Amino acid sequence: MFGHVMDDLSPAEVEAAAKLYGPLADRVRELVAATVLTEVDGPDVAKAIELIREATALLGSAAIEGSFGVRWTIDGKRRTWGNAVVGLRNPVAPPLDIRHDEEQTYADVVLGPQYEGPPTLVHGGIIAAMLDQVLGDAAVNAGAPGMTGTLNIRYRKGTPLGPVRIQAAVDRVEGVKTYVTGQVVVDDVVRAEAEGIFILPKEVRNLGDNPPPGLLAPGD
Amino acid sequence: MFGHVMDDLSPAEVEAAAKLYGPLADRVRELVAATVLTEVDGPDVAKAIELIREATALLGSAAIEGSFGVRWTIDGKRRTWGNAVVGLRNPVAPPLDIRHDEEQTYADVVLGPQYEGPPTLVHGGIIAAMLDQVLGDAAVNAGAPGMTGTLNIRYRKGTPLGPVRIQAAVDRVEGVKTYVTGQVVVDDVVRAEAEGIFILPKEVRNLGDNPPPGLLAPGD
């Protein structure tokens, strides 16, 4: 599908790339938080802008065109490193490190000031974004992936900035539709809950009964 | 309410602060996009990290504690500059510049590679975040603000990265609940649609029939 790219990278090369670009994105995340909170004056802002412009020019001297897309390696692994919620190398992403156990799919993350909506609380839209991602990944993990069809969210209480758990589990699969539920939890209290329906796209259905594993993944 | 801060700033000082910190955030947005796309090698990444660390330290030398919150000026205007979707000085925010006409509340924005989910498409969670914000702002503009109670999103078609319109209008107000509908539109085609219920918080209800204008705003 459009935007899927096959890279001629070995597993070792992929690991090296993660170790190179992951810490870079972490440093930019720190800069993002500092930008939200800074109170320095004009001359210092001007100096910071000069440093940032220089870093941007340096990074831009060799770059992928368009967007990162989804990149595949020769051993059939996929990388969604540009993804806005889980992307290892995307400073907009917290990023979520999504895991699975026998009962559920979940992520524990600490959200900084750049995710604020109401004062001291996580933005409702960021909560929606994290739920979309974790619910979608639960569908993938259950072997029933899909694009988000509908996502219904109920906000029960404010979610404070800081440590947050997002969790989800597949409720049922009906044909091409996977029904998933999930919650955002802080201090053992459910702050928001969601129901999502994830639908296998027509393009993938046409590949037959067994689409290649991993063709769809979190964020799709 | 907690997290609301009264700043002793005149309108001219607020304008000067916007002109200082807005362009800083814009430069960080460019750096964020470059970080997603860069293909430079180890030595250049190391150089970029050094520049970014230096900028972060400089900006951190005088900073707000915790989060930006919602800041008020002496003339009763509020600033949600730290907001994750509309925040002028938050590089995570695109940011949306939300406007109102007689028919609707809307924002036109160009989304770069840092908002990707499926290859070449906007992340479903980012779509949810923008809808939450614009629907909430439509409720504010109608004089019936609230925190997001529920948000139901239906994804109809993929939303390509690039220019996107998000629009919303209040359907009806029932007591403390405001019902709002909205859409994400690209090339005159609806890509996603949403219904939201925004609920006036108890704390604000207790202030009487007429809460201070602007106490609730986009993102709350």
Side-chain angles (χ1 to χ4, degrees):
Chain A
M1 288 194 291
F2 193 54
H4 286 264
V5 177
M6 178 67 81
D7 278 337
D8 188 19
L9 293 179
S10 70
E13 287 169 317
V14 169
E15 197 184 326
K19 281 191 178 158
L20 184 62
Y21 298 119
L24 170 65
D26 284 339
R27 297 297 81 72
V28 178
R29 289 180 183 106
E30 291 162 2
L31 176 64
V32 164
T35 300
V36 175
L37 298 178
T38 190
E39 291 192 300
V40 299
D41 59 9
D44 278 351
V45 169
K47 270 186 233 166
I49 283 177
E50 204 173 307
L51 294 163
I52 293 162
R53 275 189 197 280
E54 201 182 327
T56 304
L58 191 56
L59 296 175
S61 64
I64 295 160
E65 292 266 328
S67 64
F68 189 83
V70 171
R71 289 170 179 265
W72 295 78
T73 48
I74 42 178
D75 60 337
K77 295 237 173 76
R78 57 177 280 157
R79 287 171 292 143
T80 54
W81 290 355
N83 180 288
V85 177
V86 294
L88 168 77
R89 51 181 292 177
N90 185 342
V92 162
L96 296 194
D97 177 16
I98 299 180
R99 294 162 185 270
H100 312 278
D101 63 22
E102 283 181 17
E103 288 177 11
Q104 59 185 10
T105 293
Y106 64 94
D108 290 302
V109 67
V110 178
L111 297 174
Q114 65 267 46
Y115 300 107
E116 190 175 41
T120 77
L121 301 178
V122 180
H123 193 293
I126 297 296
I127 287 171
M130 296 189 303
L131 284 165
D132 177 46
Q133 185 72 43
V134 176
L135 268 65
D137 203 33
V140 172
N141 189 55
M147 303 267 290
T148 315
T150 61
L151 182 68
N152 295 345
I153 300 161
R154 180 176 298 266
Y155 296 88
R156 295 208 165 277
K157 282 177 181 290
T159 303
L161 292 168
V164 172
R165 163 164 286 214
I166 307 98
Q167 59 193 30
V170 169
D171 183 60
R172 64 193 189 281
V173 180
E174 292 178 4
V176 295
K177 293 185 180 176
T178 306
Y179 294 77
V180 188
T181 59
Q183 299 82 32
V184 172
V185 179
V186 176
D187 292 336
D188 295 326
V189 176
V190 172
R191 310 288 169 153
E193 52 195 13
E195 284 184 317
I197 304 176
F198 296 83
I199 303 173
L200 198 64
K202 287 194 186 113
E203 302 88 316
V204 182
R205 286 178 226 168
N206 294 343
L207 296 176
D209 287 340
N210 296 302
L215 184 58
L216 289 163
D220 286 8
Chain B
M1 290 194 292
F2 192 55
H4 285 264
V5 177
M6 176 69 79
D7 279 337
D8 188 20
L9 293 179
S10 70
E13 287 169 317
V14 169
E15 196 183 328
K19 280 191 180 159
L20 185 60
Y21 298 119
L24 170 65
D26 283 340
R27 296 298 80 72
V28 179
R29 289 180 184 107
E30 290 162 3
L31 176 64
V32 164
T35 299
V36 175
L37 299 179
T38 190
E39 291 193 299
V40 299
D41 59 9
D44 277 351
V45 169
K47 271 187 232 166
I49 284 178
E50 203 174 308
L51 294 163
I52 293 162
R53 276 189 196 279
E54 199 182 331
T56 304
L58 190 59
L59 296 175
S61 63
I64 296 160
E65 293 265 329
S67 65
F68 189 83
V70 171
R71 290 171 178 265
W72 295 78
T73 48
I74 42 180
D75 60 337
K77 295 235 174 80
R78 57 177 280 155
R79 287 171 291 142
T80 54
W81 290 355
N83 180 289
V85 178
V86 294
L88 167 77
R89 51 181 292 177
N90 185 343
V92 162
L96 296 194
D97 177 17
I98 298 180
R99 295 163 184 269
H100 311 278
D101 64 21
E102 284 181 14
E103 289 178 12
Q104 60 185 10
T105 293
Y106 63 94
D108 291 302
V109 66
V110 178
L111 296 174
Q114 65 266 46
Y115 300 107
E116 190 175 42
T120 77
L121 301 178
V122 180
H123 194 292
I126 297 297
I127 287 171
M130 297 189 302
L131 284 165
D132 176 46
Q133 186 71 42
V134 175
L135 268 65
D137 203 33
V140 172
N141 189 55
M147 303 266 289
T148 316
T150 60
L151 182 67
N152 295 345
I153 301 161
R154 181 177 296 267
Y155 296 87
R156 295 207 165 278
K157 280 177 183 292
T159 303
L161 292 168
V164 171
R165 163 163 287 214
I166 307 99
Q167 59 192 30
V170 169
D171 183 61
R172 65 193 189 282
V173 180
E174 293 177 5
V176 295
K177 293 185 181 177
T178 307
Y179 294 76
V180 188
T181 58
Q183 299 83 32
V184 171
V185 179
V186 176
D187 292 337
D188 294 325
V189 176
V190 173
R191 309 289 169 152
E193 52 194 14
E195 282 185 318
I197 304 177
F198 295 84
I199 304 172
L200 198 64
K202 285 192 186 116
E203 302 88 316
V204 182
R205 286 177 226 168
N206 293 342
L207 296 176
D209 287 340
N210 296 303
L215 183 57
L216 289 164
D220 287 7

